Amino acid sequence: MTGQLSPKDTRGYMRGSAKNRMIIMAHPDDPELSCGGSIALWSERGRVCNVIVSCGEKGTWDRKASPLLVAEKREKEARKAARYLGVERIVFLRHPDGEISSVKTLKIELAALVRKLKPYTIVTHDPWSRYFHPDHRATAQAVIEAIMIARDWHFYPFLLEIGLKPHRAGELLLGITENCNHVVDITTTYRKKIRAIAMHKSQLGQLPDWQKRVRDRVASDGSLAGYKYGEGFFKMRV
Ligand SMILES: [Zn+2]
């Protein structure tokens, strides 16, 4: 599921444990929708941290709803789903929903978290997906740049001053994708994925036929590798 772990790479950086994974997604329900089955597997064997860039406060069709209360509700739903899947830590960056931009501040926030949490695997959206949401694309682009900022000594020297030394991640997984080259077998955790998605109660009305759509996708991704259910990614070494 992950590449070979070398205790120390040739540039002298300690790699994080291959069991450390960081899921960086735009909205509170994205981790479960794109990789909930994989998270359930990964958290059994290692440490998973979720980073949610926006609270998704505009994610309602109720025109009378207060975006502040929607945000609060969605954070609670995300915490519950993350806890259920065994996620160790969840961080909310609270950027504005629908307006996430790959701005310098977001890249530095993410780079600081990568240096602190030391993931081997980073999972985000596929910024080249045809079916993209602008927030997903902006988040993914910021993640790709943050990996570089986190890795090199000369970006933002203040990071060193606050004790955050460079960290080189090992691999980047991009999903949901049309360019799948890596499938995680989630046959045993598929039900957990469904239950975790169902915890995002505020969103289910806006996801018509969600159970069928999720099942169709994981069946289709799984079939690429001969699994009953799978979650597909475009995997890159970084
Ligand atoms: Zn999303």
Side-chain angles (χ1 to χ4, degrees):
M1 221 176 295
T2 54
Q4 282 299 307
L5 175 67
S6 59
K8 204 170 186 188
D9 85 3
T10 52
R11 290 176 180 82
Y13 300 98
M14 292 300 288
R15 280 198 191 278
S17 160
K19 293 177 177 175
N20 276 2
R21 296 182 173 89
M22 197 168 158
I23 319 293
I24 307 173
M25 299 271 166
H27 306 114
D29 52 351
D30 290 331
E32 286 72 42
L33 284 166
S34 57
C35 56
S38 304
I39 291 172
L41 286 172
W42 292 333
S43 67
E44 281 170 16
R45 300 171 208 154
R47 191 170 133 229
V48 179
C49 297
N50 284 2
V51 177
I52 308 294
V53 177
S54 159
C55 299
E57 68 275 8
K58 298 189 184 83
T60 177
W61 288 343
D62 176 1
R63 63 184 292 191
K64 290 184 182 154
S66 153
L68 290 174
L69 295 180
V70 172
E72 193 181 4
K73 191 169 194 182
R74 296 197 67 182
E75 284 195 12
K76 273 190 192 149
E77 291 169 347
R79 280 186 207 284
K80 190 176 173 191
R83 206 178 307 124
Y84 174 68
L85 292 177
V87 171
E88 189 182 290
R89 184 174 191 154
I90 183 163
V91 179
F92 297 98
L93 299 182
R94 297 176 180 157
H95 282 239
D97 186 19
E99 299 173 55
I100 297 176
S101 159
S102 180
V103 288
K104 207 176 255 184
T105 47
L106 177 57
K107 293 172 204 169
I108 300 170
E109 286 170 73
L110 294 174
L113 286 167
V114 168
R115 286 191 180 193
K116 183 174 171 58
L117 299 171
K118 301 181 172 49
Y120 181 83
T121 305
I122 296 177
V123 187
T124 189
H125 307 279
D126 179 356
W128 300 288
S129 167
R130 239 172 278 143
Y131 304 101
F132 73 96
H133 182 300
D135 282 351
H136 292 187
R137 182 167 284 179
T139 296
Q141 281 167 342
V143 168
I144 289 167
E145 290 186 53
I147 287 171
M148 180 180 67
I149 295 169
R151 184 190 63 197
D152 294 342
W153 286 96
H154 297 292
F155 281 102
Y156 304 101
F158 85 94
L159 290 169
L160 293 172
E161 294 297 329
I162 58 171
L164 295 172
K165 289 187 182 156
H167 172 75
R168 173 178 283 265
E171 62 184 20
L172 177 64
L173 299 183
L174 307 174
I176 298 168
T177 182
E178 295 110 49
N179 297 307
C180 175
N181 64 1
H182 178 73
V183 182
V184 175
D185 180 0
I186 64 153
T187 309
T188 58
T189 53
Y190 165 69
R191 294 304 311 168
K192 277 192 154 186
K193 175 182 173 87
I194 292 292
R195 271 184 230 126
I197 294 171
M199 288 173 185
H200 294 274
K201 283 200 175 75
S202 68
Q203 301 304 296
L204 298 180
Q206 293 164 83
L207 300 166
D209 302 328
W210 67 271
Q211 295 213 29
K212 181 184 179 317
R213 285 164 64 184
V214 170
R215 190 175 58 244
D216 287 351
R217 171 158 285 280
V218 296
S220 156
D221 280 2
S223 71
L224 298 171
Y227 307 138
K228 184 174 181 197
Y229 297 128
E231 283 169 342
F233 303 93
F234 183 72
K235 178 170 159 176
M236 300 162 73
R237 303 282 298 172
V238 291

